[in-house]
């Protein structure tokens, strides 16, 4: 042990693994989609939508960035053209990254496959439907921030290099080639959320990582309108679920799609032999093969070029969350101030229209044994809302949540899982101690000169002081202030040389935090 400094743990708090209430990105290893080569010749061309021609020479809009492996210059040109079509149709506040690989896929008839690189629970991003997993690209759109490293990619896309591809951008695909642009648009749309998790093993049908459905799964229903994820009707897993998955009679049903189609559902591809990556995650081949909605069918034929996703498919993406309404709210902190009333504010950010008279606040003074609802007003007639509520007495806790309704009658709440959690603040004498999270080092190599101390420290009313108390070899106590940084972080460092620390010395320490209460609480 001559080459080590040994550090004994003092009074510290270890960060635990994040639970399901955290924004925890789970790496996806199972949910994929596959686009197959059709055995027919279909000389058809649907050009890009009007939005593409209006926006292609303008700045702004959504952005899609590829990280390429193995592509030729001509192939990259086709890929970028495909991306620009989708960029013109997606909301302008999103950035999507795609890890694209030109590779030999040995499975017969496969043109390409794709997947989301990660999934995240809707409960952690205040999604309209919180009890489902969302692909990371969609989760980032709803959350309004990046949830992974860009270079890792939100979507993984593999193009089969052994296919006779047409790499042109004009849609003039020869009858002996497959159109690359069509396949790229098709597969990116899968990565955006047109992706199911249903599975058949033996006599059982099932869905979901840890039995939690993907957001797409929630819209899948049988001919009678029964949702396949309704566990009161279909146990997960169960033989009854397998029967439905392979019934040939499944549909996607969502409010945006119904609004576009005047009430018609989308028929899904659900053959009697289950094909993972193809079944359910595509539109029915027979129902849509010869229509302008053929892009998301499971097979692409030679000569077929579809450079317009179509409002049918885009409406389905809108149902999944690409047309979203977000309630932005800065939560209120506890206070010892004696207040007779308090103002609660929120901003609504919507990709569509919403009911300006139905931006609601639901609050309670008794942990929701009873509650009151008021509708907030917008003084400037914009997207900023507020209301003021009376505080009945000192030492009162206020529990509350916010709501909004869009033009498709979708009711959004923040927090989205109000049955389990809600916002809360306390007006009265503060007795809550700060919370300190810190991970200790057991030892350092002797050659390390700088010993850095990091902690995440929070408090319900705010912090006054965070500092380090330390001893070397059971000597007298010394003190070092920790400086505030980003994301509740506090840090500082000691110089080993200055302290004359050598091999086999020990350093004991604890982190102390005091809050801003009139009678400070210390942890």
């Amino acid at each position: 042990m001559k080459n080590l400094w040994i550090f004994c743990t003092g009074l510290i708090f270890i960060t635990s693994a994040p639970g399901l209430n955290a924004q925890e990105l789970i790496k996806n290893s199972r949910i994929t989609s596959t686009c197959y080569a059709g055995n027919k010749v279909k000389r058809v061309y649907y050009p890009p939508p009007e939005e593409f021609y209006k926006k292609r020479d303008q700045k702004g809009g959504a952005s899609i960035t590829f990280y390429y492996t193995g592509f030729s210059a001509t192939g990259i040109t086709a890929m970028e053209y495909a991306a620009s079509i989708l960029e013109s149709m997606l909301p302008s506040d999103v950035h999507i990254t795609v890890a694209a690989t030109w590779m030999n896929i040995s499975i017969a008839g496969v043109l390409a496959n794709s997947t989301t690189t990660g999934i995240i629970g809707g409960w952690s991003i205040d999604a309209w439907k919180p009890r489902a997993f969302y692909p990371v690209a969609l989760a980032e759109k709803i959350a309004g921030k990046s949830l992974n490293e860009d270079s890792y990619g939100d979507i993984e896309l593999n193009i089969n290099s052994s296919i006779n591809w047409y790499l042109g951008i004009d849609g003039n695909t020869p009858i002996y080639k497959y159109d690359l642009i069509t396949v790229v648009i098709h597969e990116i749309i899968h990565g955006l959320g047109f992706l199911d998790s249903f599975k058949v093993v033996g006599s059982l049908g099932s869905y979901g990582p840890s039995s939690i459905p993907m957001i797409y799964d929630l819209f899948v229903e049988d001919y009678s309108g029964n949702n396949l994820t309704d566990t009161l009707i279909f146990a997960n897993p169960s033989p009854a679920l397998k029967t439905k998955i392979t019934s040939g009679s499944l549909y996607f049903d969502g409010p945006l799609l119904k609004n576009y189609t005047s009430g018609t559902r989308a028929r899904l591809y659900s053959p009697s032999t289950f094909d993972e990556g193809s079944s359910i995650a595509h539109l029915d081949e027979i129902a849509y093969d010869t229509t302008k909605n053929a892009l998301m069918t499971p097979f692409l034929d030679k000569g077929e070029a579809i450079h317009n996703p179509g409002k049918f498919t885009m409406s389905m993406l809108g149902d999944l969350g690409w047309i979203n309404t977000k309630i932005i709210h800065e939560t209120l902190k506890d206070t010892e101030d004696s207040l007779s009333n308090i103002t609660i504010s929120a901003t609504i950010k919507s990709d569509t229209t919403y009911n300006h008279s139905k931006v609601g606040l639901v609050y309670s003074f008794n942990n929701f044994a009873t509650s009151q609802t008021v509708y907030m007003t917008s003084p400037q007639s914009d997207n900023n809302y507020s209301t003021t509520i009376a505080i009945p007495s000192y030492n009162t806790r206020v529990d509350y949540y916010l709501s909004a309704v869009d033009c498709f009658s979708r009711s959004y709440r923040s927090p989205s899982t109000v049955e389990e959690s809600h916002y809360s603040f306390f007006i009265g004498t503060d007795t809550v101690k700060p919370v300190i999270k810190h991970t200790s080092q057991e030892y350092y190599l002797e050659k390390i000169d700088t010993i850095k101390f990091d902690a995440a420290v929070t408090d319900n009313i705010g912090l006054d002081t965070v500092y380090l108390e330390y001893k070397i070899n059971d000597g007298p106590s010394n003190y070092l202030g920790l400086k505030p940084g980003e994301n509740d972080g506090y840090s500082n460092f000691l110089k080993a040389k200055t302290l004359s620390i050598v091999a086999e010395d020990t350093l004991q320490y604890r982190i102390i935090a005091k809050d801003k209460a009139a009678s400070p609480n210390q942890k």
Side-chain angles (χ1 to χ4, degrees):
M1 300 296 289
K2 290 291 184 182
N3 293 325
L4 303 177
W5 287 334
I6 310 234
F7 285 73
C8 298
T9 301
L11 200 60
I12 60 174
F13 301 84
I14 307 300
T15 303
S16 61
L20 285 180
N21 288 324
Q23 285 189 342
E24 181 182 4
L25 186 65
I26 302 171
K27 186 177 181 180
N28 174 46
S29 59
R30 185 179 79 82
I31 302 169
T32 61
S33 68
T34 302
C35 182
Y36 288 110
N39 55 15
K40 299 180 292 184
V41 172
K42 187 193 302 175
R43 188 65 187 92
V44 62
Y45 173 49
Y46 290 106
E50 290 183 8
E51 294 93 329
F52 170 74
Y53 296 104
K54 290 178 180 178
K55 294 182 179 180
R56 63 177 175 176
D57 296 324
Q58 302 174 5
K59 293 183 179 180
S63 65
I64 299 175
T65 299
F66 287 105
Y67 294 92
Y68 292 106
T69 300
F71 282 82
S72 66
T74 308
I76 289 175
T77 298
M79 298 284 286
E80 296 291 339
Y81 186 80
S84 66
I85 293 171
L86 282 171
E87 287 171 341
S88 72
M89 303 188 73
L90 291 170
S92 60
D93 60 342
V94 296
H95 175 61
I96 301 157
T97 56
V98 182
T101 304
W102 185 268
M103 61 184 292
N104 180 50
I105 298 176
S106 58
I107 302 173
V110 172
L111 295 175
N113 58 49
S114 66
T115 187
T116 175
T117 58
I119 57 176
I120 193 168
W123 52 85
S124 68
I125 55 174
D126 274 353
W128 173 47
K129 290 182 176 290
R131 291 171 180 82
F133 280 122
Y134 288 71
V136 62
L138 176 53
E140 288 180 338
K141 188 271 177 291
I142 294 171
K145 62 181 180 180
S146 178
L147 300 172
N148 66 354
E149 293 293 333
D150 276 4
S151 59
Y152 187 65
D154 301 323
I155 300 168
E156 182 180 299
L157 169 61
N158 300 311
I159 304 293
N160 193 346
S161 59
S162 64
I163 297 298
N164 190 12
W165 291 109
Y166 179 63
L167 304 181
I169 66 173
D170 58 5
N172 190 27
T173 310
I175 60 173
Y176 55 89
K177 289 189 175 186
Y178 294 95
D179 188 67
L180 179 61
I181 289 172
T182 302
V183 170
V184 172
I185 297 173
H186 175 108
E187 289 300 328
I188 291 178
I189 286 175
H190 279 307
L192 297 179
F194 210 107
L195 200 64
D196 78 295
S197 68
F198 289 99
K199 191 172 185 178
V200 169
V201 177
S203 63
L204 299 177
S206 63
Y207 58 82
S210 303
S211 296
I212 298 173
M214 292 293 292
I215 178 60
Y216 182 95
D217 302 339
L218 296 182
F219 295 93
V220 178
E221 61 186 36
D222 65 10
Y223 180 80
S224 300
N226 299 309
N227 286 102
L228 266 59
T229 55
D230 186 343
T231 53
L232 296 178
I233 302 175
F234 306 108
N236 182 28
S238 67
L241 203 52
K242 177 190 174 180
T243 299
K244 291 296 180 180
I245 291 172
T246 56
S247 65
S249 186
L250 292 181
Y251 300 85
F252 183 102
D253 190 9
L256 273 76
L257 178 65
K258 275 191 170 180
N259 180 75
Y260 172 68
T261 62
S262 300
T264 302
R265 302 178 294 178
R267 184 160 185 160
L268 301 176
Y269 178 65
S270 53
S272 57
T273 300
F274 180 73
D275 186 352
E276 189 168 359
S278 186
S279 292
I280 303 181
H282 288 96
L283 298 177
D284 186 71
E285 182 74 19
I286 296 174
Y288 303 105
D289 182 41
T290 58
T291 73
K292 62 182 180 180
N293 299 315
L295 175 69
M296 296 310 294
T297 57
F299 303 97
L300 177 72
D301 291 317
K302 294 176 181 178
E304 185 177 13
I306 305 174
H307 295 181
N308 186 346
K311 292 184 179 179
F312 193 87
T313 294
M314 298 307 295
S315 295
M316 295 173 71
L317 288 180
D319 280 320
L320 300 177
W322 283 99
I323 300 298
N324 185 61
T325 296
K326 185 174 181 63
I327 303 170
I328 302 170
H329 170 65
E330 186 173 344
T331 57
L332 300 177
K333 286 189 174 183
D334 296 353
T335 180
E336 290 189 308
D337 294 341
S338 182
L339 302 176
S340 58
N341 56 66
I342 196 163
T343 299
I344 297 176
S345 303
T347 298
I348 307 300
K349 182 179 180 181
S350 184
D351 301 310
T352 184
T353 56
Y354 63 94
N355 191 330
H356 291 258
S357 64
K358 292 288 185 178
V359 178
L361 167 69
V362 182
Y363 65 98
S364 172
F365 300 125
N366 54 16
N367 197 28
F368 281 101
T370 60
S371 65
Q372 301 179 60
T373 300
V374 295
Y375 291 109
M376 307 169 78
T377 59
S378 177
Q380 303 299 321
S381 298
D382 53 13
N383 296 316
N384 299 308
Y385 293 81
S386 63
T387 191
T388 300
I389 61 173
I391 304 301
S393 63
Y394 199 62
N395 290 327
T396 291
R397 178 163 296 282
V398 182
D399 299 297
Y400 67 102
Y401 65 89
L402 304 161
S403 66
V405 180
D406 73 5
C407 61
F408 301 104
S409 299
R410 295 185 294 183
S411 181
Y412 293 83
R413 299 181 298 183
S414 182
S416 57
T417 52
V418 296
E419 294 82 4
E420 291 83 26
S421 63
H422 41 259
Y423 299 126
S424 180
F425 63 91
F426 181 73
I427 298 174
T429 303
D430 179 51
T431 59
V432 179
K433 295 181 179 182
V435 175
I436 305 173
K437 294 182 180 180
H438 169 69
T439 301
S440 66
Q441 292 282 357
E442 294 184 6
Y443 62 85
Y444 280 104
L445 297 176
E446 185 176 8
K447 64 182 180 180
I448 300 299
D449 183 61
T450 300
I451 309 166
K452 188 174 183 182
F453 299 89
D454 292 292
V457 190
T458 56
D459 187 74
N460 60 316
I461 67 169
L463 292 159
D464 178 73
T465 307
V466 180
Y467 64 96
L468 187 78
E469 178 185 5
Y470 65 95
K471 298 178 180 181
I472 301 172
N473 297 329
D474 294 318
S477 290
N478 298 278
Y479 300 92
L480 177 70
L482 298 187
K483 301 174 183 178
E486 297 180 353
N487 300 320
D488 302 319
Y490 285 78
S491 64
N492 211 334
F493 59 88
L494 295 172
K495 288 287 188 178
K497 184 176 182 180
T498 303
L499 297 174
S500 301
I501 298 178
V502 297
E504 296 192 25
D505 279 350
T506 63
L507 189 151
Q508 298 174 325
Y509 67 98
R510 62 178 179 175
I511 296 169
I512 299 170
K514 293 181 179 179
D515 68 12
K516 292 182 177 180
S519 298
N521 300 290
Q522 176 176 298
K523 185 71 170 183

